[in-house]
């Protein structure tokens, strides 16, 4: 082999090794690149609170709702305020816009898909979140599957816990959002 061939082979091997080490380092990093705690407030329309309601059922329970708590088949559409603290009347930093539907006949369980729409001095853009909300669990993890502007193509986990529940007309979720892919 001549010197040029050996130099090319050495360069290819060196670049392969560098590529492997740089990829391994980025895959092992477990620290979030962005983290925030927010509070999602939902006021469910009950027939008398039209001025204050932020969500409403678009369907009724189906015949398969065997237990009253299951509400199987019911779909809720919402446009809920999201605050930095747990006070409903605090200035919203975002709106949670989306839907959930009850998808378990035996237990209260819902599947959520929503977008956090930010328009504050701190953040601009959106975060798209979805996943199973197993209501009887203390915490539930939703996937952060994308975003725009300050959250361009973000990926991560949104851990939700029910912070307050008042009858069937109001609940508050604490959202602990950790982003592991950030491009801004």
């Amino acid at each position: 082999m001549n010197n040029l061939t050996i130099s090319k082979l050495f360069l290819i091997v060196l670049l392969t090794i560098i590529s492997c080490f740089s990829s391994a380092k980025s895959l092992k990093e477990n620290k979030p690149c962005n983290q925030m705690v927010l509070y999602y407030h939902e006021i469910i329309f009950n027939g008398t609170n039209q001025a204050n309601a932020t969500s409403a059922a678009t369907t009724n329970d189906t015949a398969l709702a065997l237990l009253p708590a299951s509400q199987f088949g019911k779909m809720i559409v919402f446009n809920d305020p999201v605050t930095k603290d747990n006070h409903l009347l605090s200035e919203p930093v975002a709106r949670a816009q989306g839907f959930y539907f009850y998808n378990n006949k035996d237990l209260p369980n819902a599947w959520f898909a929503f977008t956090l729409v930010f328009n504050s001095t701190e953040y601009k853009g959106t975060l798209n979140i979805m996943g199973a909300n197993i209501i009887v669990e203390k915490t539930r993890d939703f996937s952060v599957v994308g975003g725009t502007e300050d959250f361009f193509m973000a990926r991560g986990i949104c851990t939700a816990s029910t912070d307050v529940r008042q009858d069937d007309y109001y609940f508050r979720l604490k959202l602990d959002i950790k982003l592991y892919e950030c491009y801004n």
Side-chain angles (χ1 to χ4, degrees), residues 6-76:
I6 292 172
S7 295
K8 286 180 181 178
L9 184 60
F10 176 75
L11 183 61
I12 290 171
V13 169
L14 181 65
L15 289 174
T16 303
I17 290 171
I18 290 171
S19 174
C20 288
F21 281 114
S22 67
S23 295
K25 181 181 177 189
S26 66
L27 290 176
K28 288 183 180 179
E29 235 175 88
N30 290 324
K31 294 181 182 177
C33 50
N34 193 344
Q35 186 172 349
M36 65 187 92
V37 174
L38 301 172
Y39 293 85
Y40 163 112
H41 305 270
E42 180 156 298
I43 303 169
I44 302 165
F45 179 64
N46 66 8
T48 64
N49 63 344
Q50 184 174 353
N52 295 331
T54 60
S55 69
T58 59
T59 63
N60 293 319
D61 296 349
T62 67
L64 293 176
L66 303 176
L67 297 174
S70 82
Q71 300 181 48
F72 184 77
K74 182 185 276 188
M75 178 180 273
I76 309 290

Side-chain angles (χ1 to χ4, degrees), residues 7-159:
S7 295
K8 286 180 181 178
L9 184 60
F10 176 75
L11 183 61
I12 290 171
V13 169
L14 181 65
L15 289 174
T16 303
I17 290 171
I18 290 171
S19 174
C20 288
F21 281 114
S22 67
S23 295
K25 181 181 177 189
S26 66
L27 290 176
K28 288 183 180 179
E29 235 175 88
N30 290 324
K31 294 181 182 177
C33 50
N34 193 344
Q35 186 172 349
M36 65 187 92
V37 174
L38 301 172
Y39 293 85
Y40 163 112
H41 305 270
E42 180 156 298
I43 303 169
I44 302 165
F45 179 64
N46 66 8
T48 64
N49 63 344
Q50 184 174 353
N52 295 331
T54 60
S55 69
T58 59
T59 63
N60 293 319
D61 296 349
T62 67
L64 293 176
L66 303 176
L67 297 174
S70 82
Q71 300 181 48
F72 184 77
K74 182 185 276 188
M75 178 180 273
I76 309 290
V77 175
F78 57 87
N79 182 8
D80 296 330
V82 176
T83 60
K84 287 182 83 169
D85 61 28
N86 62 2
H87 300 290
L88 173 61
L89 299 178
S90 293
E91 184 70 28
V93 294
R95 301 292 298 189
Q97 299 174 335
F99 65 91
Y100 57 92
F101 57 88
Y102 292 92
N103 60 350
N104 190 321
K105 294 188 297 184
D106 302 318
L107 297 170
N109 183 62
W111 191 83
F112 270 73
F114 64 98
T115 300
L116 290 178
V117 180
F118 290 88
N119 191 14
S120 67
T121 55
E122 192 171 353
Y123 294 114
K124 299 276 189 246
T126 64
L127 273 178
N128 299 310
I129 299 171
M130 63 176 53
N133 185 17
I134 303 165
I135 298 167
V136 296
E137 297 291 326
K138 184 176 179 178
T139 62
R140 292 82 75 191
D141 287 331
F142 301 142
S143 299
V144 177
V145 296
T148 63
E149 294 187 47
D150 290 341
F151 306 103
F152 178 74
M153 292 182 60
R155 303 285 187 274
I157 295 292
C158 172
T159 302

